[in-house]
Amino acid sequence: MAFSAEQLLDKVNAYLATMPYVREPKGLYAPIEYVLSLGGKRIRPVLMLLSYQLYKENVEDILSQAAGIETYHNYTLLHDDLMDRADMRRNKPTVHKVWDENTAILSGDAMLVLAYRLMNNCPDRYLKQVMDIFSQTALEICEGQQWDMEFETRNDVTVSEYIEMIRLKTSVLLSAALKIGAVLGDAPEDEAQKLYDFGIKMGLAFQLQDDFLDVYGDPKVFGKNIGGDILCNKKTFMLINALALADGQQREELEKWISCTDFCPEEKIRAVTKLYDKIGIGRICEEKINEYYAEGLSLLESIAMPSGKKEELKSFVCHLMNRKV
């Protein structure tokens, strides 16, 4: 019996809720329970289970690995919040605000160890391949985070550098979830790789859509105020392309807003968005999103399976991208 994405989400949440943290000291484990209790879409564990059930039905057998990838993801968020000095996550105070910075660092480190233990809890015949994928992914995410930090102080970031950064920071964990699910499901090697590549393309589309919505989204739908990337001069696909394609006068105005330290936020958002409109940045971004999305779906369709077998996975991804199936 194949489960829907919603049913798989329920299984993941139920499993996470029953994970016992009976070890001491409580001061180390309470922040971990707090982070995992904040919820979220659980995209990565659901992708892992959807990939697995393309080949096998007993999804309960890999709930440990699904919980492992979700624990790892939340560990990265905990440390990201600390590095960004963020006050809120999912409308709740961040760990370093509820406790303190040292606790956030140490509890995050413990989360990473717990994620490895959960991932490691699989039959020996899969162990090396699963842990190789997971370890490589964890390392690549650190590389992506470092690139993102370095881009903050660079004014010469290229589009290709940005795409590589978001591949590392965002896409590879989605891809790892899909590939680990396929490996545990005994998928043929070429199909496991296609699912990995599918995750890369969808991750790129997903992040570029996030860039686009930060400028052109509806705050009520997007879930946060628009223009945040503009206000902090974040090197997004939008800004990098705008700087590359602007004429002399447009570039001068863009650079004025980038270097300006005393400004009205609404005025800056309006002015930069108007420049994006003139240069055609929104259209360029949408075209790139559509390109990655189409390439991803093409990879999924190229996996030879009985009709309907891939529909739940496709439907889940389309829903994330707010697309029709």
Side-chain angles (χ1 to χ4, degrees):
M1 170 191 167
F3 295 99
S4 68
E6 198 168 327
Q7 289 170 321
L8 294 173
L9 173 61
D10 289 341
K11 287 180 180 292
V12 170
N13 281 330
Y15 190 88
L16 289 169
T18 58
M19 284 200 306
Y21 295 108
V22 293
R23 297 171 65 92
E24 298 287 343
K26 290 296 181 194
L28 179 67
Y29 293 98
I32 298 173
E33 290 185 86
Y34 174 78
V35 169
L36 290 171
S37 73
L38 295 179
K41 297 176 183 175
R42 312 292 193 204
I43 293 168
R44 291 143 196 89
V46 171
L47 282 175
M48 185 184 288
L49 297 175
L50 284 168
S51 178
Y52 177 85
Q53 76 171 10
L54 293 175
Y55 303 95
K56 291 182 179 176
E57 292 186 352
N58 50 328
V59 293
E60 287 79 5
D61 287 359
I62 69 158
L63 284 173
S64 175
Q65 287 71 44
I69 210 152
E70 182 65 8
T71 300
Y72 175 82
H73 173 59
N74 280 271
Y75 142 76
T76 67
L77 298 181
L78 191 158
H79 276 190
D80 278 355
D81 288 341
L82 180 59
M83 294 166 77
D84 295 341
R85 299 285 187 263
D87 293 343
M88 303 292 286
R89 166 73 62 180
R90 294 169 184 149
N91 297 316
K92 298 279 187 177
T94 49
V95 167
H96 65 276
K97 286 295 180 183
V98 177
W99 286 272
D100 54 50
E101 291 186 1
N102 287 344
T103 299
I105 293 168
L106 197 57
S107 292
D109 291 345
M111 281 185 87
L112 178 59
V113 176
L114 289 168
Y116 268 82
R117 285 181 62 177
L118 287 160
M119 192 63 69
N120 192 53
N121 184 27
C122 65
D124 288 347
R125 68 183 183 277
Y126 305 118
L127 189 57
K128 184 178 187 310
Q129 192 175 3
V130 166
M131 296 312 295
D132 282 351
I133 296 166
F134 188 53
S135 297
Q136 178 66 20
T137 301
L139 188 61
E140 287 179 332
I141 289 168
C142 292
E143 293 167 355
Q145 178 67 14
Q146 181 63 33
W147 281 123
D148 196 21
M149 289 162 51
E150 291 184 11
F151 289 175
E152 290 176 13
T153 57
R154 281 181 51 192
N155 293 320
D156 60 347
V157 180
T158 65
V159 171
S160 60
E161 284 179 316
Y162 179 73
I163 295 299
E164 175 62 3
M165 183 274 287
I166 63 173
R167 183 188 74 82
L168 292 166
K169 193 173 174 183
T170 302
S171 289
V172 294
L173 194 56
L174 301 174
S175 291
L178 287 157
K179 189 169 185 179
I180 289 169
V183 167
L184 292 169
D186 288 322
E189 190 175 334
D190 66 319
E191 293 186 7
Q193 186 58 43
K194 280 182 178 179
L195 284 163
Y196 182 90
D197 295 339
F198 162 71
I200 292 290
K201 297 295 185 182
M202 289 304 180
L204 294 175
F206 193 74
Q207 183 57 57
L208 292 189
Q209 180 167 276
D210 204 59
D211 290 359
F212 178 85
L213 291 174
D214 189 80
V215 178
Y216 294 109
D218 179 345
K220 292 175 185 173
V221 178
F222 192 36
K224 58 183 179 183
N225 292 333
I226 63 167
D229 291 344
I230 290 174
L231 293 178
C232 66
N233 302 323
K234 189 169 179 61
K235 306 298 192 314
T236 64
F237 185 84
M238 313 282 280
L239 180 57
I240 295 165
N241 270 288
L243 287 167
L245 298 171
D247 62 28
Q249 185 180 350
Q250 291 166 339
R251 186 180 177 93
E252 190 179 321
E253 190 177 351
L254 259 178
E255 288 177 342
K256 180 198 81 175
W257 283 110
I258 290 169
S259 60
C260 187
T261 55
D262 183 19
F263 57 82
C264 166
E266 291 80 11
E267 186 184 356
K268 178 172 179 176
I269 292 167
R270 262 196 317 273
V272 173
T273 302
K274 191 174 179 182
L275 283 166
Y276 286 176
D277 291 343
K278 286 180 181 176
I279 301 166
I281 297 302
R283 175 184 51 77
I284 292 167
C285 190
E286 283 189 299
E287 285 173 357
K288 202 66 180 172
I289 293 165
N290 291 335
E291 179 186 323
Y292 285 135
Y293 183 72
E295 288 173 354
L297 288 185
S298 178
L299 282 161
L300 184 61
E301 293 302 333
S302 71
I303 298 173
M305 272 184 185
S307 180
K309 190 91 171 171
K310 296 171 286 193
E311 284 310 301
E312 191 60 33
L313 174 55
K314 182 180 175 182
S315 176
F316 179 66
V317 172
C318 290
H319 176 70
L320 291 175
M321 292 292 298
N322 197 26
R323 304 289 181 104
K324 291 181 180 178
V325 181

